Amino acid sequence: MRETLMLANNWKFKAVEDKDWLPAVVPGCVHTDLLKNGVIKDPFYATNEHDLQWIDKIDWEYESTFDVPRTLLAASSIELVFDGLDTYADVSVNGVHVLSADNMFRTWRADVKAYVKEQGNSLHIVFRSPVREDLPKIDTLGYNLPASNDQSELGGLGDNKISIFARKAPYHYGWDWGPRFVTSGIWREARLEAWSESVITDLFVEQNEVTAAEARLTLHVEIESERDWNGTLSLNADGLTWDSQVAVKVGKNNVSVPVVIPNPKLWWSRGLGEAYLYSFKAELFAGERAVAGKTVRTGLRSIKLVREKDAVGASFYFELNGVPVFAKGANHIPNDSFITDITEDRYRHEIASAAESNMNMLRIWGGGIYEQSIFYELCDEYGILVWQDFMFACSMYPGDEAFLANVKAEAEQNVKRLRNHPSIVLWCGNNEIDSAWAQYDETGGWGWKKDYTAEQREKIWADYEAIFHRILPEAVESYAPGIDYWPSSPIVSVSRDINQHAHPLTTEGDVHYWGVWHAVEPFENYNLKIGRFMSEYGFQSFPEYDTVMTFATEQDLALDSKVMRAHQKNGDGNRLIKQYMDIYMNEPKDFPSFLYMSQVLQAEAMKMAIEAHRRKMPYCMGTLYWQMNDCWPVASWAGIDYYGKWKAMQYYAKHSFEDTILSFDRPEDGRLDVHLVTDRLDALSGTLNVALYDFSGVRLREDSASIALQGNSAAVVYSLNESEWLGGRKASSVVLHVEFVPGVGGESAISKQFYFASAKELQLESPSITVKEVAGSAGAAYELTTDNLAKQVWLKAEQAGRFTDNFFDLMPGVPKVVQFVNREVGEALSKPAAPGAIAVSSMIDYLAESQVEVV
């Protein structure tokens, strides 16, 4: 059996040129160790980021001492294993060099049987500066390769873009939402692994054909042995057992056993069914004695990316267990600039938030990391599908033999590591490179090609194709059969002509639409520019005041302050938020009000986009906004800020992603259409109640209709003439309230409001909002009522946690009941709890002088 010795203790570190050692934490990195020892100030505070760029320009060394138990020392094989070394590292054991690493994303192993002893072992690692390591490579190459988000100037490197040379998290070099902290260190587990006789090194559950009737699988077992021998391989799952006689040879062995599970419990994404997980165990026996074992957990499902030609282009959707799935979710970035600061609690909070926001997919974006195992385990448990990028983004990459070999090893290791997770449904080569370079469109792309000669361009594109059209798809095909590969996001298809590159109106492939935001197109264009699968789009906001005050002082609270600019990584970001706010919102009264209004603005934009995409099903079958989370406290496109606080957008997304929604559209002048959209597989029928109210709650007009809708579809279920319904009343003084009451099945009624005028035009009066505690379904709850329409009511609690709904419109005469959910360490969200004092406000409080009622 394998025996493991963790190497997490007795670590110290220093700059190579220094004499004095300081205590270190492993896993960790130089930046976090310097912070813990008081050498540097909080990297996220004010403009401290700018003062810490010296760290990546020197070499660092780590050292530890350890003893080896006699039982482990007696093993036939002893390996030193690093699951992650960041990035250029030379490792010695007891003064003997045992390995050199050059890829943050790979696992590194070294045979140290001959070098370790029972007591007083020394483990020494020198981390070479990524800057000093890679700067000379530009001269060797002869030119800079494009890397749009590499903040080389901030790092003191001028125009020298070195991020493309390092197989290291691209966002460490800065992005348009993240700081530049080029880290070094032991960022994943370090250990000794020892075994004798034989060991099972891998167990892969290949899903050949999975239906509700049976699952046909092949269980692939990888065995390493020190000698030839005969034994029994026993495989089991959920009470089923399959035994095979095996002849184990010295060295590596691969044994494949076909098995059938009748009437399997299928793994479903959130909203479609249970995310059931099987545990598969492989054991190797010599007679009755267990020699080796390994257990993996997976879900049984059929999955494929469906791209079929149709009258307007080609479909792009995921079919899970034979069911077309409308993908609802967001793009995920790493939860911290310093990866080892991300706790399991923080991961659980994010994935639980995704599920509670009615999402069923997250895209692991290609500028971060292949995530920690706990991330995928949580997605497996919560039924969250994962679109997995390889770690390449917004850059062109070198294609020398050593680099390509490194990429090949990285791809194979990571595909093998993650292939048993049922949540992973797609591997994607890169983020935005095909469309940025636009090889077959001379005037297209991001303008990169013009900086290179014809010969250089030919070489750069050949290197691109070597990685993304050969090495990566071969790794997926070889090590994760049955999972689709997509070469770049976005792309139409690999046609090798101008039609390959995606644009906002392409009718095949996936689309990144950034006309709203970067091009200052109106929000209304979200209704017009819709692709078959919207894998990126977004709009920025600031985090709330309490989060801003973790990196700023009152003197910094201005859009053009040095600190606020440092925490806005998109060059035009603050101007764009203000510009859009001037178009769609009234003037906020002060900077804290601006923070609130920016969140409402973002929420309204994303609501418009999400619902436009959902109304368009089955033409469009996916909507993944940019972005789910933040890696530091910052103004960004995130729906959840660095501290896990839901912004207004996250609450809006929760509603817009509900399995069944009502949505509104104005297809032509004078007409308003009411859409019913459902992801549920069963047909819907019931009554639609439509009523017009003034802002004091007086009902002005009403109608009702019997409606029906097929399962997993969208349709217009009611239309009205706006001028007829307004009847001469001001559009700015009324609200339409629509409610769908299902006729059978015990489903809850759903409702939605529509305003005939923009938020800027609404004639709002100050509401008097009251809150009282009532008995809820799961503990204490709070009922809100108002005398006048209250727009975007924001509840803020004294305790850490969140309300089950927030930033909602409160109608007169329609009480709203919410619960507060406390957040504690070790849990994503705990049971409903007392929130302490509650502050209640609505939009009008941020536009004019008004007292905020505290309950």
Side-chain angles (χ1 to χ4, degrees):
M1 287 289 185
R2 191 198 304 263
E3 191 174 350
T4 300
L5 176 68
M6 305 305 300
L7 301 175
N9 300 318
N10 305 318
W11 284 97
K12 57 185 179 180
F13 83 112
K14 68 179 183 68
V16 168
E17 65 266 25
D18 289 348
K19 292 183 179 180
D20 296 330
W21 293 87
L22 294 170
V25 175
V26 171
C29 73
V30 171
H31 289 73
T32 53
D33 284 330
L34 290 171
L35 180 63
K36 288 181 177 76
N37 283 280
V39 178
I40 63 173
K41 296 179 180 178
D42 179 0
F44 295 163
Y45 187 75
T47 60
N48 288 350
E49 173 201 0
H50 302 172
D51 301 326
L52 300 180
Q53 296 304 309
W54 58 272
I55 297 173
D56 58 37
K57 296 171 183 62
I58 60 178
D59 298 342
W60 298 88
E61 57 186 329
Y62 279 70
E63 191 169 275
S64 176
T65 58
F66 61 94
D67 298 331
V68 181
R70 290 183 182 179
T71 54
L72 190 147
L73 202 60
S76 302
S77 172
I78 304 176
E79 282 189 316
L80 175 63
V81 183
F82 295 98
D83 286 337
L85 290 171
D86 180 14
T87 292
Y88 299 110
D90 297 301
V91 182
S92 299
V93 174
N94 293 330
V96 180
H97 177 268
V98 295
L99 69 85
S100 291
D102 62 355
N103 190 321
M104 174 181 177
F105 304 124
R106 288 173 61 183
T107 295
W108 297 93
R109 293 175 173 269
D111 181 355
V112 295
K113 168 71 175 175
Y115 311 126
V116 294
K117 54 191 178 182
E118 186 175 349
Q119 293 184 329
N121 293 281
S122 172
L123 176 56
H124 185 260
I125 308 174
V126 174
F127 289 98
R128 305 191 305 278
S129 159
V131 173
R132 291 181 5 194
E133 183 78 15
D134 288 334
L135 266 176
K137 295 176 184 176
I138 296 176
D139 292 333
T140 302
L141 186 62
Y143 46 84
N144 261 303
L145 287 170
S148 297
N149 283 283
D150 185 326
Q151 296 173 15
S152 54
E153 187 173 348
L154 175 61
L157 305 180
D159 293 331
N160 291 317
K161 310 290 189 180
I162 61 171
S163 59
I164 50 93
F165 296 110
R167 290 314 300 143
K168 172 174 174 58
Y171 84 110
H172 282 171
Y173 295 83
W175 218 266
D176 57 2
W177 36 257
R180 184 186 186 277
F181 291 120
V182 183
T183 56
S184 292
I186 307 166
W187 75 286
R188 277 181 173 159
E189 192 175 277
R191 63 188 179 276
L192 288 183
E193 288 185 357
W195 58 272
S196 296
E197 198 167 354
S198 295
V199 64
I200 296 177
T201 52
D202 190 52
L203 171 58
F204 170 43
V205 182
E206 182 181 357
Q207 305 190 28
N208 307 109
E209 185 178 0
V210 177
T211 67
E214 65 178 18
R216 294 187 171 273
L217 316 172
T218 304
L219 306 185
H220 300 280
V221 185
E222 188 178 274
I223 303 166
E224 189 168 351
S225 180
E226 64 175 348
R227 63 180 178 85
D228 294 350
W229 64 287
N230 296 324
T232 302
L233 177 63
S234 181
L235 300 162
N236 66 78
D238 271 27
L240 298 172
T241 300
W242 306 274
D243 288 341
S244 304
Q245 299 305 305
V246 291
V248 181
K249 303 297 183 181
V250 65
K252 291 201 177 288
N253 300 258
N254 291 288
V255 180
S256 297
V257 180
V259 305
V260 175
I261 297 180
N263 304 312
K265 296 179 181 178
L266 299 181
W267 185 91
W268 289 96
S269 58
R270 192 221 59 80
L272 290 180
E274 181 185 3
Y276 186 83
L277 296 170
Y278 283 82
S279 288
F280 285 84
K281 186 176 183 180
E283 287 184 290
L284 195 57
F285 289 91
E288 298 296 319
R289 180 172 59 90
V291 175
K294 189 172 184 62
T295 301
V296 300
R297 193 173 64 155
T298 192
L300 303 182
R301 83 287 185 264
S302 67
I303 186 71
K304 63 179 177 179
L305 175 63
V306 179
R307 296 170 57 232
E308 295 177 343
K309 291 290 184 181
D310 55 28
V312 289
S315 65
F316 191 107
Y317 67 87
F318 294 92
E319 185 181 275
L320 176 65
N321 300 325
V323 175
V325 177
F326 189 99
K328 304 177 297 186
N331 288 261
H332 159 92
I333 66 169
N335 275 303
D336 209 293
S337 292
F338 308 116
I339 300 165
T340 52
D341 280 353
I342 310 171
T343 62
E344 182 175 336
D345 168 56
R346 289 175 66 182
Y347 276 119
R348 187 171 291 277
H349 179 68
E350 180 193 0
I351 305 306
S353 291
E356 289 159 9
S357 300
N358 298 303
M359 295 180 176
N360 60 17
M361 178 174 276
L362 290 172
R363 173 184 173 224
I364 311 296
W365 164 79
I369 63 171
Y370 305 96
E371 270 295 354
Q372 309 282 30
S373 294
I374 183 63
F375 180 94
Y376 303 100
E377 291 166 7
L378 290 167
C379 288
D380 293 344
E381 292 173 11
Y382 281 89
I384 303 297
L385 305 172
V386 173
W387 168 316
Q388 176 70 56
D389 281 6
F390 286 95
M391 293 302 115
F392 300 88
C394 302
S395 308
M396 301 304 288
Y397 293 87
D400 57 272
E401 185 178 344
F403 187 86
L404 295 183
N406 203 352
V407 168
K408 183 175 186 290
E410 167 193 323
E412 291 175 356
Q413 280 191 11
N414 282 283
V415 172
K416 284 186 71 174
R417 176 173 77 91
L418 300 175
R419 60 186 174 179
N420 280 316
H421 291 286
S423 53
I424 297 179
V425 297
L426 183 74
W427 281 92
C428 177
N430 68 69
N431 177 74
E432 296 187 338
I433 305 179
D434 182 90
S435 56
W437 181 260
Q439 170 71 7
Y440 304 106
D441 185 352
E442 192 57 35
T443 61
W446 297 358
W448 288 351
K449 296 193 298 291
K450 64 179 176 56
D451 296 327
Y452 302 92
T453 66
E455 183 181 4
Q456 289 169 343
R457 284 169 55 171
E458 183 179 353
K459 174 68 166 64
I460 291 169
W461 185 249
D463 293 343
Y464 173 93
E465 289 196 310
I467 297 172
F468 302 108
H469 294 178
R470 178 172 60 83
I471 292 173
L472 299 185
E474 285 177 359
V476 175
E477 182 179 7
S478 298
Y479 296 101
I483 300 298
D484 285 290
Y485 173 81
W486 191 237
S488 183
S489 181
I491 193 173
V492 174
S493 64
V494 182
S495 60
R496 292 185 169 84
D497 59 24
I498 196 171
N499 299 310
Q500 176 167 312
H501 313 306
H503 301 283
L505 292 176
T506 49
T507 60
E508 299 183 30
D510 67 319
V511 167
H512 293 191
Y513 172 52
W514 285 103
V516 175
W517 185 256
H518 291 301
V520 204
E521 294 179 17
F523 288 172
E524 289 74 16
N525 277 11
Y526 281 131
N527 293 317
L528 305 174
K529 298 187 177 181
I530 303 175
R532 308 307 294 261
F533 193 104
M534 304 299 292
S535 47
E536 265 196 38
Y537 58 93
F539 193 88
Q540 271 201 6
S541 74
F542 276 80
E544 65 179 68
Y545 175 82
D546 289 350
T547 294
V548 169
M549 294 309 291
T550 65
F551 64 79
T553 67
E554 290 288 344
Q555 289 70 38
D556 301 318
L557 298 185
L559 273 183
D560 59 351
S561 75
K562 186 176 181 181
V563 170
M564 219 53 63
R565 291 199 309 271
H567 287 256
Q568 168 57 271
K569 288 293 185 172
N570 181 246
D572 290 331
N574 290 351
R575 176 187 63 80
L576 286 169
I577 294 173
K578 180 66 166 61
Q579 186 172 348
Y580 274 102
M581 194 177 293
D582 289 343
I583 296 171
Y584 291 101
M585 301 290 209
N586 288 298
E587 186 78 17
K589 67 181 181 181
D590 52 25
F591 193 78
S593 299
F594 178 87
L595 301 178
Y596 163 91
M597 293 286 281
S598 78
Q599 291 200 19
V600 171
L601 181 70
Q602 177 194 37
E604 290 288 342
M606 293 298 92
K607 171 187 172 183
M608 184 176 292
I610 291 168
E611 295 189 10
H613 303 157
R614 293 195 68 189
R615 290 195 303 267
K616 199 72 171 177
M617 72 181 297
Y619 176 84
C620 176
M621 285 296 286
T623 178
L624 308 177
Y625 63 74
W626 185 270
Q627 66 210 62
M628 183 71 178
N629 55 322
D630 274 329
C631 69
W632 74 318
V634 66
S636 80
W637 296 270
I640 302 176
D641 78 14
Y642 174 72
Y643 296 104
K645 299 174 183 176
W646 283 29
K647 295 184 184 179
M649 180 177 85
Q650 199 66 33
Y651 290 99
Y652 271 49
K654 176 181 178 180
H655 292 298
S656 293
F657 282 149
E658 284 177 349
D659 293 342
T660 302
I661 64 166
L662 291 164
S663 185
F664 303 97
D665 185 31
R666 284 167 151 166
E668 57 189 49
D669 288 344
R671 192 175 101 225
L672 176 68
D673 286 343
V674 181
H675 295 248
L676 187 63
V677 183
T678 188
D679 296 331
R680 299 193 175 189
L681 304 184
D682 296 331
L684 294 173
S685 63
T687 302
L688 192 76
N689 298 315
V690 185
L692 186 71
Y693 294 88
D694 67 19
F695 290 168
S696 66
V698 175
R699 185 181 301 165
L700 306 172
R701 180 168 178 166
E702 61 183 329
D703 191 18
S704 64
S706 296
I707 61 172
L709 181 70
Q710 292 181 347
N712 209 15
S713 68
V716 175
V717 292
Y718 189 89
S719 294
L720 59 82
N721 181 288
E722 290 190 18
S723 61
E724 180 183 329
W725 269 73
L726 289 173
R729 303 176 187 89
K730 291 183 178 179
S732 58
S733 64
V734 293
V735 57
L736 191 73
H737 181 80
V738 179
E739 181 183 50
F740 170 62
V741 182
V744 293
E747 300 291 340
S748 299
I750 59 172
S751 62
K752 197 75 156 282
Q753 288 82 39
F754 177 81
Y755 297 90
F756 295 92
S758 69
K760 191 171 186 175
E761 299 168 329
L762 296 180
Q763 297 178 349
L764 301 175
E765 296 186 12
S766 294
S768 177
I769 303 172
T770 60
V771 181
K772 67 177 181 178
E773 187 171 337
V774 296
S777 59
Y782 303 88
E783 182 183 84
L784 287 81
T785 56
T786 183
D787 58 347
N788 286 313
L789 173 71
K791 287 283 291 176
Q792 280 96 19
V793 174
W794 183 28
L795 300 174
K796 187 167 171 55
E798 184 178 64
Q799 303 295 325
R802 64 172 178 79
F803 291 91
T804 50
D805 200 5
N806 219 335
F807 292 94
F808 50 80
D809 291 357
L810 189 60
M811 297 272 293
V814 184
K816 174 79 173 182
V817 177
V818 298
Q819 287 184 307
F820 180 78
V821 186
N822 200 22
R823 183 179 175 193
E824 298 176 355
V825 175
E827 297 180 276
L829 292 169
S830 61
K831 294 179 180 180
I838 304 174
V840 185
S841 56
S842 66
M843 176 175 283
I844 202 165
D845 297 309
Y846 300 95
L847 305 178
E849 290 300 323
S850 175
Q851 293 296 313
V852 175
E853 182 179 1
V854 179
V855 179

